[in-house]
Amino acid sequence: MAPDHVKMKSVIRVLQKPFDPAQIEFLGNVRVGEGGVPLDVVRQHYHAVVHATGSSVDRALGIPGEELAGSLGSGAFVSWYCGHPDHTKLQPLLDHPGVAVVGAGNVALDVARVLAKTADEMAATDIPDPVLDVLRSSAVRDIHVLIRRGPQHIRFTPAELRQIGELAGADVLVHDDGLLAAGVEAPEDRRHRQMLDMLAEWSATEPAGKPRRIHLRFLRSPVRIIGTGGRVGGLVVERNTIRDGRVVGTGEQETIDVGLVVRAIGYDAEPIPGLPFDPATGTVPNEGGRVLRDGRPVPGAYVTGWIKRGPTGVIGTNKADAVETVAALLEDLPGLPEPAHPDPAEFRAALAAHGVRPVDWTAWLRVDAEEVRRGGLRGAERVKVAELAEMLDAAHGATTG
Ligand SMILES: NC(=O)c1ccc[n+]([C@@H]2O[C@H](COP(=O)([O-])OP(=O)(O)OC[C@H]3O[C@@H](n4cnc5c(N)ncnc54)[C@H](OP(=O)(O)O)[C@@H]3O)[C@@H](O)[C@H]2O)c1
């Protein structure tokens, strides 16, 4: 969840509830698979395993220059500002006034908004202190959101689009090659109509002269990232046009002056060792959450979330999706084979044998308290502990600075 969606993030209190009366045992810091505890071992201790590992791999554009420093996937960039421990060393290059964000989904909007917000606005969120320091010294002024199709094809949602129009420090500029003025056929979907109205209003409004600008550039496809001194120095895009309702390239190219390119074009998933995987959809084959191998359910194996459906859908979609999986599990439960070692103490012993020291619920609450303490120092509700070592220090009772 985007760090500046502070109100929505209070869902953390709701999600804590089932753990408090100890109905559910929480075991954090447990890697399943290589470098942790093998899935086979987990299966010996539980009737069922629900995999909710998501889609954590950034899709590539497949264009020259993508490997340059300053060319990032949104997964890495978002994980960095959200304080994911695997991405604390990212050091994105925010030393150039121009940034390109590729894509017309809500992730592209999240990235554009975080780059456009003032440091004071971001200080009130839970982003880690080192991230705030980088954003404070950001030289970014122009954020170019590159959308390959037209205003009628965006995949944003209205609430998210509206937010970029309400930023204290950034104007929104719509570049649509006159499509909106010429009249776009009103889509049937009410939310799409709302968004078209918003875009039309912005395109007819003079910018207020705020220090930063978000440019919504329609009908532009990235073609090549230009390297300067081993890092991103610009982005070549091709202009597209809409012919017979289809988007086609015109062959006409232009270069956008940027030092960072963030592609927010969707995600792929990593296969789960020991489970079937469909690389075409980035999902584990399943029926209503029951994992299928060669078309038949694998007893005790379930999936939920993006690893089940692919990388689309908002939090509400995932809630309904989880309900479906859990219903399937409960229906199957009476017929599932008894695990060889059902005693939770035996699982703890197995973890120890694999060198895994879990973070239990009491330890998680210590991390939570540390985040709230750090928040107090910055006038925020909480501030993320991002470094794994600091997280474990907080969890296991050592004091951190
Ligand atoms: N606040 C929120 O509610 C929130 C926040 C973040 C994410 N989400 C949800 O999470 C899901 C994933 O979001 P997402 O933004 O990653 O995915 P998304 O909604 O699927 O959007 C991906 C975008 O990338 C574009 N794209 C794909 N390949 C491209 C290419 N080669 N060149 C240029 N553009 C390309 C797509 O364009 P086309 O449309 O032309 O295919 C599409 O606009 C969505 O359901 C989203 O709503 C919700």
Side-chain angles (χ1 to χ4, degrees), residues 41-57:
V41 173
V42 180
R43 294 294 316 271
Q44 290 164 16
H45 294 266
Y46 295 97
H47 287 86
V49 178
V50 182
H51 300 266
T53 45
S55 316
S56 57
V57 180

Side-chain angles (χ1 to χ4, degrees), residues 5 61 102-108 110 148-149 153 155 157 160 222 264-267 306 311-314:
H5 288 163
L61 283 163
V102 184
N106 280 333
V107 173
D110 280 349
R148 63 181 171 183
R149 299 193 283 161
H153 304 124
R155 300 223 207 147
T157 44
E160 278 59 38
I265 57 168
Y267 301 107
W306 284 8
T312 58
V314 296

Side-chain angles (χ1 to χ4, degrees), residues 41-380:
V41 173
V42 180
R43 294 294 316 271
Q44 290 164 16
H45 294 266
Y46 295 97
H47 287 86
V49 178
V50 182
H51 300 266
T53 45
S55 316
S56 57
V57 180
D58 281 308
R59 270 193 203 139
L61 283 163
I63 60 171
E66 218 169 348
E67 70 295 342
L68 288 163
S71 159
L72 297 174
S74 55
F77 188 63
V78 169
S79 297
W80 167 74
Y81 66 62
C82 286
H84 188 298
D86 290 349
H87 296 273
T88 53
K89 306 285 179 287
L90 188 73
Q91 296 188 318
L93 301 167
L94 304 184
D95 54 349
H96 190 284
V99 171
V101 182
V102 184
N106 280 333
V107 173
L109 283 184
D110 280 349
V111 169
R113 198 180 64 247
V114 165
L115 287 167
K117 281 203 163 175
T118 64
D120 285 347
E121 281 171 317
M122 291 310 290
T125 75
D126 65 5
I127 58 167
D129 285 329
V131 172
L132 183 60
D133 290 343
V134 173
L135 294 179
R136 235 183 239 297
S137 58
S138 162
V140 172
R141 292 291 171 265
D142 290 280
I143 300 141
H144 306 273
V145 180
L146 299 173
I147 300 161
R148 63 181 171 183
R149 299 193 283 161
Q152 65 275 51
H153 304 124
I154 48 181
R155 300 223 207 147
F156 309 137
T157 44
E160 278 59 38
L161 186 61
R162 189 169 301 112
Q163 284 171 25
I164 62 163
E166 293 169 347
L167 296 173
D171 286 316
V172 179
L173 286 79
V174 176
H175 308 268
D176 66 332
D177 295 349
L179 274 176
L180 287 162
V184 171
E185 200 183 324
E188 275 184 25
D189 180 55
R190 181 181 52 88
R191 299 187 316 161
H192 257 97
R193 284 202 304 277
Q194 283 174 359
M195 291 194 285
L196 278 182
D197 288 347
M198 252 181 265
L199 292 171
E201 190 189 321
W202 292 340
S203 67
T205 310
E206 276 297 308
K210 295 178 185 175
R212 286 183 171 138
R213 289 158 295 277
I214 295 179
H215 302 267
L216 298 179
R217 295 192 180 278
F218 290 96
L219 299 171
R220 299 292 184 278
S221 287
V223 172
R224 187 170 77 252
I225 302 176
I226 301 170
T228 313
R231 61 166 286 186
V232 172
L235 177 66
V236 179
V237 297
E238 178 179 2
R239 289 179 70 150
N240 301 326
T241 188
I242 300 182
R243 205 174 290 146
D244 301 329
R246 288 188 50 234
V247 176
V248 287
T250 63
E252 200 182 321
Q253 298 190 345
E254 53 196 39
T255 302
I256 304 179
D257 181 19
V258 294
L260 180 75
V261 175
V262 182
R263 47 183 200 278
I265 57 168
Y267 301 107
D268 267 327
E270 298 223 48
I272 300 171
L275 288 193
F277 186 70
D278 178 359
T281 56
T283 58
V284 169
N286 73 91
E287 196 171 65
R290 292 181 177 99
V291 173
L292 299 180
R293 191 189 301 281
D294 303 324
R296 283 209 299 277
V298 179
Y302 300 85
V303 281
T304 190
W306 284 8
I307 192 70
K308 172 181 172 187
R309 302 189 324 273
T312 58
V314 296
I315 291 166
T317 327
N318 284 317
K319 270 169 79 173
D321 191 64
V323 168
E324 183 188 57
T325 294
V326 171
L329 192 162
L330 292 178
E331 192 186 319
D332 298 348
L333 195 55
L336 290 176
E338 278 299 311
H341 308 285
D343 181 352
E346 286 184 288
F347 186 58
R348 293 271 190 153
L351 290 179
H354 283 88
V356 177
R357 186 181 178 196
V359 168
D360 65 14
W361 183 243
T362 313
W364 187 91
L365 286 173
R366 288 196 206 102
V367 182
D368 184 55
E370 173 61 12
E371 291 192 346
V372 172
R373 186 189 73 81
R374 290 185 186 196
L377 302 176
R378 208 171 79 190

